[in-house]
Amino acid sequence: MKYAPARTSIFIGCMLLAFASEPSWAQHAGPGAHPMPQTSSAPPAAGPADAKVEFENETIIVVRVRMAPHEKTPMHDITSARLVVWLTDAHLRDTHPDGSANETHRRAGTIDWVGVQRHAGENLSHEPLEFLAIVPKAGAAAAPK
């Protein structure tokens, strides 16, 4: 259980990234959602209302995700692991399919690795949160040396 806070943060970051990186996530998003380009063959997912591709090439997608105060994301699958860079402080709740939940706090500048998982998330703060999700593309080759 000593890894629960890191796992929760990673989960939430992955969740947000998964949603943000899916081309069809916006169909489930609220007002102000940014449409995503067709870049992934993964199944559609629901996600946060505000996610935007900041950078993309043949190896990675970088998505900026913002969650409003107390915003919730539905249960969803994170289908590819990712690196999450927290741009703001965050207080999150990560809920798992079995109903168990973890709360975690992250400070701006914290970096987490988020693995494949299924979860739902909630921004517990009275402030918006923001992070970058850096998602490697499947089958992408390493950069030339």
Side-chain angles (χ1 to χ4, degrees), residues 10 22 24 28-29 48 50 58 63 66 76 80 86 95-96 101 116-117 127 131:
I10 291 173
E22 297 301 330
S24 61
H28 303 285
D50 192 2
E58 58 281 346
V63 180
R66 295 179 181 98
H76 63 280
S80 59
W86 295 95
T95 303
H96 309 282
V116 172
Q117 59 186 297
E127 301 294 327
F131 65 90

PDB file of all heavy atoms in Angstrom, residues 10 22 24 28-29 48 50 58 63 66 76 80 86 95-96 101 116-117 127 131:
ATOM      1  N   ILE A  10      -0.456   8.376 -10.984  1.00  0.00           N
ATOM      2  CA  ILE A  10      -0.139   7.834 -12.295  1.00  0.00           C
ATOM      3  C   ILE A  10      -1.416   7.430 -12.999  1.00  0.00           C
ATOM      4  O   ILE A  10      -1.607   7.701 -14.170  1.00  0.00           O
ATOM      5  CB  ILE A  10       0.823   6.647 -12.167  1.00  0.00           C
ATOM      6  CG1 ILE A  10       2.169   7.164 -11.696  1.00  0.00           C
ATOM      7  CG2 ILE A  10       0.942   5.903 -13.479  1.00  0.00           C
ATOM      8  CD1 ILE A  10       3.165   6.098 -11.372  1.00  0.00           C
ATOM      9  N   GLU A  22      -7.172   9.864 -27.442  1.00  0.00           N
ATOM     10  CA  GLU A  22      -8.073   9.098 -28.286  1.00  0.00           C
ATOM     11  C   GLU A  22      -8.831  10.037 -29.203  1.00  0.00           C
ATOM     12  O   GLU A  22      -9.364  11.050 -28.767  1.00  0.00           O
ATOM     13  CB  GLU A  22      -9.065   8.308 -27.426  1.00  0.00           C
ATOM     14  CG  GLU A  22      -8.405   7.293 -26.548  1.00  0.00           C
ATOM     15  CD  GLU A  22      -7.606   6.269 -27.304  1.00  0.00           C
ATOM     16  OE1 GLU A  22      -7.948   5.954 -28.450  1.00  0.00           O
ATOM     17  OE2 GLU A  22      -6.616   5.789 -26.765  1.00  0.00           O
ATOM     18  N   SER A  24     -11.719   9.830 -30.464  1.00  0.00           N
ATOM     19  CA  SER A  24     -13.146   9.947 -30.225  1.00  0.00           C
ATOM     20  C   SER A  24     -13.489  10.356 -28.812  1.00  0.00           C
ATOM     21  O   SER A  24     -14.653  10.394 -28.449  1.00  0.00           O
ATOM     22  CB  SER A  24     -13.822   8.617 -30.548  1.00  0.00           C
ATOM     23  OG  SER A  24     -13.303   7.624 -29.713  1.00  0.00           O
ATOM     24  N   HIS A  28     -17.525  12.404 -25.799  1.00  0.00           N
ATOM     25  CA  HIS A  28     -18.029  12.263 -24.445  1.00  0.00           C
ATOM     26  C   HIS A  28     -17.707  13.482 -23.598  1.00  0.00           C
ATOM     27  O   HIS A  28     -18.053  13.515 -22.435  1.00  0.00           O
ATOM     28  CB  HIS A  28     -17.398  11.036 -23.772  1.00  0.00           C
ATOM     29  CG  HIS A  28     -17.647   9.787 -24.528  1.00  0.00           C
ATOM     30  ND1 HIS A  28     -18.858   9.163 -24.536  1.00  0.00           N
ATOM     31  CD2 HIS A  28     -16.840   9.056 -25.319  1.00  0.00           C
ATOM     32  CE1 HIS A  28     -18.795   8.079 -25.294  1.00  0.00           C
ATOM     33  NE2 HIS A  28     -17.580   7.995 -25.769  1.00  0.00           N
ATOM     34  N   ALA A  29     -17.002  14.427 -24.163  1.00  0.00           N
ATOM     35  CA  ALA A  29     -16.530  15.558 -23.368  1.00  0.00           C
ATOM     36  C   ALA A  29     -17.586  16.651 -23.285  1.00  0.00           C
ATOM     37  O   ALA A  29     -18.515  16.709 -24.079  1.00  0.00           O
ATOM     38  CB  ALA A  29     -15.253  16.118 -23.989  1.00  0.00           C
ATOM     39  N   PRO A  48     -11.687  13.929 -19.891  1.00  0.00           N
ATOM     40  CA  PRO A  48     -11.883  15.287 -19.402  1.00  0.00           C
ATOM     41  C   PRO A  48     -12.369  16.208 -20.511  1.00  0.00           C
ATOM     42  O   PRO A  48     -12.139  15.943 -21.687  1.00  0.00           O
ATOM     43  CB  PRO A  48     -10.504  15.689 -18.902  1.00  0.00           C
ATOM     44  CG  PRO A  48      -9.566  14.795 -19.608  1.00  0.00           C
ATOM     45  CD  PRO A  48     -10.309  13.520 -19.877  1.00  0.00           C
ATOM     46  N   ASP A  50     -11.372  19.132 -21.309  1.00  0.00           N
ATOM     47  CA  ASP A  50     -10.387  20.003 -21.932  1.00  0.00           C
ATOM     48  C   ASP A  50      -9.045  19.293 -22.085  1.00  0.00           C
ATOM     49  O   ASP A  50      -8.255  19.238 -21.157  1.00  0.00           O
ATOM     50  CB  ASP A  50     -10.222  21.275 -21.101  1.00  0.00           C
ATOM     51  CG  ASP A  50      -9.440  22.363 -21.830  1.00  0.00           C
ATOM     52  OD1 ASP A  50      -9.050  22.149 -23.002  1.00  0.00           O
ATOM     53  OD2 ASP A  50      -9.224  23.418 -21.234  1.00  0.00           O
ATOM     54  N   GLU A  58       6.035  10.920 -35.160  1.00  0.00           N
ATOM     55  CA  GLU A  58       5.860   9.483 -35.399  1.00  0.00           C
ATOM     56  C   GLU A  58       6.099   8.625 -34.152  1.00  0.00           C
ATOM     57  O   GLU A  58       5.746   7.452 -34.125  1.00  0.00           O
ATOM     58  CB  GLU A  58       6.746   8.997 -36.550  1.00  0.00           C
ATOM     59  CG  GLU A  58       8.221   9.230 -36.373  1.00  0.00           C
ATOM     60  CD  GLU A  58       8.660  10.676 -36.669  1.00  0.00           C
ATOM     61  OE1 GLU A  58       7.890  11.448 -37.257  1.00  0.00           O
ATOM     62  OE2 GLU A  58       9.789  11.012 -36.284  1.00  0.00           O
ATOM     63  N   VAL A  63      -0.116  15.547 -24.839  1.00  0.00           N
ATOM     64  CA  VAL A  63      -1.449  16.102 -24.655  1.00  0.00           C
ATOM     65  C   VAL A  63      -1.474  16.937 -23.382  1.00  0.00           C
ATOM     66  O   VAL A  63      -1.023  16.482 -22.336  1.00  0.00           O
ATOM     67  CB  VAL A  63      -2.501  14.975 -24.561  1.00  0.00           C
ATOM     68  CG1 VAL A  63      -3.899  15.550 -24.375  1.00  0.00           C
ATOM     69  CG2 VAL A  63      -2.440  14.081 -25.797  1.00  0.00           C
ATOM     70  N   ARG A  66      -6.546  19.614 -18.899  1.00  0.00           N
ATOM     71  CA  ARG A  66      -7.009  20.483 -17.821  1.00  0.00           C
ATOM     72  C   ARG A  66      -8.302  19.899 -17.275  1.00  0.00           C
ATOM     73  O   ARG A  66      -9.161  19.482 -18.032  1.00  0.00           O
ATOM     74  CB  ARG A  66      -7.264  21.892 -18.344  1.00  0.00           C
ATOM     75  CG  ARG A  66      -6.022  22.598 -18.832  1.00  0.00           C
ATOM     76  CD  ARG A  66      -6.367  23.993 -19.357  1.00  0.00           C
ATOM     77  NE  ARG A  66      -5.198  24.663 -19.851  1.00  0.00           N
ATOM     78  CZ  ARG A  66      -4.852  24.719 -21.135  1.00  0.00           C
ATOM     79  NH1 ARG A  66      -5.599  24.153 -22.052  1.00  0.00           N
ATOM     80  NH2 ARG A  66      -3.760  25.359 -21.503  1.00  0.00           N
ATOM     81  N   HIS A  76     -12.752   4.238 -17.201  1.00  0.00           N
ATOM     82  CA  HIS A  76     -12.218   4.061 -18.557  1.00  0.00           C
ATOM     83  C   HIS A  76     -10.920   3.262 -18.486  1.00  0.00           C
ATOM     84  O   HIS A  76     -10.361   3.058 -17.407  1.00  0.00           O
ATOM     85  CB  HIS A  76     -11.955   5.427 -19.206  1.00  0.00           C
ATOM     86  CG  HIS A  76     -10.928   6.205 -18.483  1.00  0.00           C
ATOM     87  ND1 HIS A  76     -11.191   6.923 -17.331  1.00  0.00           N
ATOM     88  CD2 HIS A  76      -9.600   6.349 -18.696  1.00  0.00           C
ATOM     89  CE1 HIS A  76     -10.086   7.479 -16.900  1.00  0.00           C
ATOM     90  NE2 HIS A  76      -9.098   7.141 -17.710  1.00  0.00           N
ATOM     91  N   SER A  80      -2.392   2.504 -23.037  1.00  0.00           N
ATOM     92  CA  SER A  80      -0.940   2.563 -23.242  1.00  0.00           C
ATOM     93  C   SER A  80      -0.313   3.400 -22.125  1.00  0.00           C
ATOM     94  O   SER A  80      -0.850   4.438 -21.744  1.00  0.00           O
ATOM     95  CB  SER A  80      -0.597   3.138 -24.616  1.00  0.00           C
ATOM     96  OG  SER A  80      -1.121   4.428 -24.773  1.00  0.00           O
ATOM     97  N   TRP A  86       3.068  16.989 -14.054  1.00  0.00           N
ATOM     98  CA  TRP A  86       2.063  17.838 -13.409  1.00  0.00           C
ATOM     99  C   TRP A  86       2.485  19.296 -13.524  1.00  0.00           C
ATOM    100  O   TRP A  86       3.561  19.676 -13.086  1.00  0.00           O
ATOM    101  CB  TRP A  86       1.878  17.425 -11.951  1.00  0.00           C
ATOM    102  CG  TRP A  86       1.318  16.053 -11.873  1.00  0.00           C
ATOM    103  CD1 TRP A  86       2.013  14.890 -11.713  1.00  0.00           C
ATOM    104  CD2 TRP A  86      -0.043  15.686 -12.009  1.00  0.00           C
ATOM    105  NE1 TRP A  86       1.143  13.818 -11.735  1.00  0.00           N
ATOM    106  CE2 TRP A  86      -0.122  14.285 -11.916  1.00  0.00           C
ATOM    107  CE3 TRP A  86      -1.223  16.410 -12.195  1.00  0.00           C
ATOM    108  CZ2 TRP A  86      -1.329  13.586 -12.009  1.00  0.00           C
ATOM    109  CZ3 TRP A  86      -2.423  15.714 -12.290  1.00  0.00           C
ATOM    110  CH2 TRP A  86      -2.467  14.330 -12.196  1.00  0.00           C
ATOM    111  N   THR A  95     -10.583   5.966  -8.577  1.00  0.00           N
ATOM    112  CA  THR A  95     -11.485   4.879  -8.213  1.00  0.00           C
ATOM    113  C   THR A  95     -11.268   3.712  -9.162  1.00  0.00           C
ATOM    114  O   THR A  95     -11.207   3.888 -10.378  1.00  0.00           O
ATOM    115  CB  THR A  95     -12.954   5.347  -8.269  1.00  0.00           C
ATOM    116  OG1 THR A  95     -13.090   6.484  -7.401  1.00  0.00           O
ATOM    117  CG2 THR A  95     -13.901   4.246  -7.831  1.00  0.00           C
ATOM    118  N   HIS A  96     -11.149   2.513  -8.603  1.00  0.00           N
ATOM    119  CA  HIS A  96     -10.871   1.297  -9.360  1.00  0.00           C
ATOM    120  C   HIS A  96     -12.157   0.517  -9.623  1.00  0.00           C
ATOM    121  O   HIS A  96     -13.166   0.733  -8.949  1.00  0.00           O
ATOM    122  CB  HIS A  96      -9.861   0.444  -8.589  1.00  0.00           C
ATOM    123  CG  HIS A  96      -8.657   1.232  -8.184  1.00  0.00           C
ATOM    124  ND1 HIS A  96      -7.641   1.554  -9.048  1.00  0.00           N
ATOM    125  CD2 HIS A  96      -8.329   1.828  -6.998  1.00  0.00           C
ATOM    126  CE1 HIS A  96      -6.736   2.285  -8.419  1.00  0.00           C
ATOM    127  NE2 HIS A  96      -7.129   2.467  -7.172  1.00  0.00           N
ATOM    128  N   ALA A 101     -10.835   3.073  -3.703  1.00  0.00           N
ATOM    129  CA  ALA A 101     -10.406   4.398  -4.168  1.00  0.00           C
ATOM    130  C   ALA A 101      -9.182   4.851  -3.377  1.00  0.00           C
ATOM    131  O   ALA A 101      -8.976   4.437  -2.244  1.00  0.00           O
ATOM    132  CB  ALA A 101     -11.539   5.403  -4.009  1.00  0.00           C
ATOM    133  N   VAL A 116      -0.798   0.856 -17.825  1.00  0.00           N
ATOM    134  CA  VAL A 116      -2.088   0.420 -18.354  1.00  0.00           C
ATOM    135  C   VAL A 116      -2.987   0.072 -17.173  1.00  0.00           C
ATOM    136  O   VAL A 116      -2.568  -0.614 -16.242  1.00  0.00           O
ATOM    137  CB  VAL A 116      -1.883  -0.797 -19.289  1.00  0.00           C
ATOM    138  CG1 VAL A 116      -3.217  -1.390 -19.707  1.00  0.00           C
ATOM    139  CG2 VAL A 116      -1.042  -0.402 -20.497  1.00  0.00           C
ATOM    140  N   GLN A 117      -4.232   0.545 -17.212  1.00  0.00           N
ATOM    141  CA  GLN A 117      -5.159   0.287 -16.107  1.00  0.00           C
ATOM    142  C   GLN A 117      -6.570   0.715 -16.456  1.00  0.00           C
ATOM    143  O   GLN A 117      -6.800   1.338 -17.486  1.00  0.00           O
ATOM    144  CB  GLN A 117      -4.701   1.030 -14.861  1.00  0.00           C
ATOM    145  CG  GLN A 117      -4.621   2.528 -15.058  1.00  0.00           C
ATOM    146  CD  GLN A 117      -4.025   3.216 -13.858  1.00  0.00           C
ATOM    147  OE1 GLN A 117      -4.586   3.160 -12.791  1.00  0.00           O
ATOM    148  NE2 GLN A 117      -2.887   3.856 -14.054  1.00  0.00           N
ATOM    149  N   GLU A 127      -9.501  24.197  -7.200  1.00  0.00           N
ATOM    150  CA  GLU A 127      -8.738  24.828  -8.277  1.00  0.00           C
ATOM    151  C   GLU A 127      -8.642  23.873  -9.463  1.00  0.00           C
ATOM    152  O   GLU A 127      -8.656  22.657  -9.295  1.00  0.00           O
ATOM    153  CB  GLU A 127      -7.313  25.153  -7.800  1.00  0.00           C
ATOM    154  CG  GLU A 127      -7.248  26.081  -6.611  1.00  0.00           C
ATOM    155  CD  GLU A 127      -7.766  27.479  -6.934  1.00  0.00           C
ATOM    156  OE1 GLU A 127      -7.584  27.931  -8.085  1.00  0.00           O
ATOM    157  OE2 GLU A 127      -8.339  28.112  -6.034  1.00  0.00           O
ATOM    158  N   PHE A 131      -1.941  19.027 -16.530  1.00  0.00           N
ATOM    159  CA  PHE A 131      -0.747  18.213 -16.692  1.00  0.00           C
ATOM    160  C   PHE A 131      -0.514  17.930 -18.162  1.00  0.00           C
ATOM    161  O   PHE A 131      -1.404  18.116 -18.997  1.00  0.00           O
ATOM    162  CB  PHE A 131      -0.841  16.901 -15.897  1.00  0.00           C
ATOM    163  CG  PHE A 131      -1.913  15.973 -16.351  1.00  0.00           C
ATOM    164  CD1 PHE A 131      -1.680  15.012 -17.335  1.00  0.00           C
ATOM    165  CD2 PHE A 131      -3.177  16.032 -15.790  1.00  0.00           C
ATOM    166  CE1 PHE A 131      -2.670  14.149 -17.748  1.00  0.00           C
ATOM    167  CE2 PHE A 131      -4.171  15.167 -16.198  1.00  0.00           C
ATOM    168  CZ  PHE A 131      -3.923  14.223 -17.178  1.00  0.00           C
TER     169      PHE A 131
END
